[in-house]
Amino acid sequence: MSTPTPPSVYNRANPFKAQITANYSLTSEGSAKDTRHVVVNLGESGISYVPGDSLGVVPRNFPSVVDELLPHLGLAPETPVDQPTGPVALRDLLINQYVLNRVSKKFVKGLLEKLPEGEKKTQLAEIVGNEEAFDDYVFTRDYTDVLIEYPHQFTAQEFLPLANKIAPRLYSIASSPKAHPGEVHLTIAVVNYTTHGRAKYGLASGYLGHGQEPNKSEVPVYIQPTKHFHMPANEANIIMVGPGTGIAPFRAFLEHRAIEGATGQSWLFFGDQKKATDFLYENEFSAMLEKGTLTRLDTAFSRDQAEKIYVQNRMQENGAELWKWLKEGAYFYVCGDAKRMAKDVHQKLIDIAQEHGGLSPEAAKEYVEVTLAKTEKRYLKDVY
Ligand SMILES: Cc1cc2nc3c(=O)[nH]c(=O)nc-3n(C[C@H](O)[C@H](O)[C@H](O)COP(=O)(O)OP(=O)(O)OC[C@H]3O[C@@H](n4cnc5c(N)ncnc54)[C@H](O)[C@@H]3O)c2cc1C
Ligand SMILES: NC(=O)c1ccc[n+]([C@@H]2O[C@H](COP(=O)([O-])OP(=O)(O)OC[C@H]3O[C@@H](n4cnc5c(N)ncnc54)[C@H](OP(=O)(O)O)[C@@H]3O)[C@@H](O)[C@H]2O)c1
């Protein structure tokens, strides 16, 4: 197993201000997605990491989001707000410290209290009083959407306690420090959607994907060392399942193994919507196949045909071989969507243990969940 990352002076409470030096699209025109490769330069920070670690990023809002909101609040951008370090202009404070891409429930409740009696107040009270309607209401709206529907002015002292403070987001590191010294590479699926006639970005993915001027802006970052998602010894065989952005740590693993001259075999399962537009890092993986860094690559493009084909379908088709790898000591890694993909892949492993290992349903479950995952620690997940 790779050695854990040594502690750094930079952490969640004290992030390093890094620069983004490259940012390009991994998906091509016609894709339903906007997935980007982002290179973060660690400068003179001395920050180190190992494949399997994640990068913590403290995002900010687009200034345009704040500039759109302030007139609805009835507040001037330069309004001074007392902070422990001295007064700060409201515009800067909002850009750097408050989540503005989604309205908070406490703000909607605060607004309801302030609205004068009448039709609008009754209407909003009905929404707030119904849990499901309230969840739906805040899911699709930001502060500007709400203030367009229910105009009302706030002082800075009234507004700020009703908004949520920004929290960092984690991104799986997609690079080996041996291949890219002083850099961290990320694979970011930019969240974007239009609701109530206004386009919105996910806070951190929008900031990283489209809120930066390369080589200019400062991005607060820190390493979140992994507790369990370490690479195995170089002689070990590895099976990696990483659809979508789940591919990120496996690019790091493969780059690392190539530089270290790993003798173990590597088998990658990748999937995304369409081969023509969403085959992330296709050229890199083709080159790795040619060089032998990658022994096998099985892809599942879900929307290239009428029926969905997912990574677990490819596992099923190659079940006998996959079972052979596992019995011979291969490590099995999964990264990406926790809600659906990782659950289905988990079940597929159990099915394969039954079908190709001849195990009963109970024994197959025990083999995957206890022997592989806990006793031998050869089944590792980084899912979100
Ligand atoms: C360990 C770990 C590793 C990760 N690695 C990666 C990685 O390598 N690459 C990657 O891209 N992500 C990764 N993530 C996810 C990442 O941390 C963020 O959660 C993701 O980028 C979304 O954050 P955001 O700030 O852009 O969106 P937020 O602003 O936090 O939005 C949150 C979510 O709400 C949804 N949403 C909100 N309102 C609406 C609406 N009206 N309509 C539709 N959707 C809506 C968005 O789809 C989004 O998923 C990882 C997470 C963890 C925990
Ligand atoms: N919990 C989270 O915050 C979270 C986790 C993962 C992704 N996301 C969001 O989803 C968006 C895209 O993410 P992504 O690029 O990483 O890809 P993704 O949405 O995870 O999709 C990658 C591939 O997995 C397929 N897939 C869907 N359901 C599956 C299942 N049950 N089993 C196996 N494969 C399955 C998809 O197919 P189809 O789409 O054709 O069905 C697609 O081909 C982003 O906006 C991202 O932020 C959020």
Side-chain angles (χ1 to χ4, degrees), residues 33 51 125 198 214 335 355:
K33 297 212 181 151
R198 298 179 51 252
C335 182
E355 192 179 334

Side-chain angles (χ1 to χ4, degrees), residues 16 27 72 105 108 111 114 120 125 164 169 203-204 209 228 234 250 282 296 352 362:
F16 173 69
T27 43
H72 292 284
K105 283 190 169 176
V108 179
L111 172 65
K114 282 164 78 35
K120 287 252 175 200
N164 291 323
R169 305 285 191 275
L203 181 60
H228 65 284
N234 282 338
F250 304 134
E282 179 177 9
R296 283 194 65 157
I352 287 172
E362 298 72 30

Side-chain angles (χ1 to χ4, degrees), residues 1-4 50-52 178 226 228-240 249-250 252-254 256-258 260-267 325 328-334 376-380:
M1 287 284 178
S2 53
T3 43
V50 295
K178 292 201 171 179
T226 183
H228 65 284
F229 206 69
H230 292 290
M231 292 175 66
N234 282 338
E235 341 25 280
N237 292 343
I238 54 174
I239 302 168
M240 298 162 282
F250 304 134
F253 280 23
L254 289 163
H256 211 73
R257 279 170 79 103
E260 297 216 322
T263 50
Q265 298 197 311
S266 308
W267 185 354
W325 278 52
E328 289 171 0
Y331 283 69
F332 188 89
Y333 291 83
V334 186
E376 299 180 4
K377 295 188 171 49
R378 288 194 285 127
Y379 173 21
L380 301 114

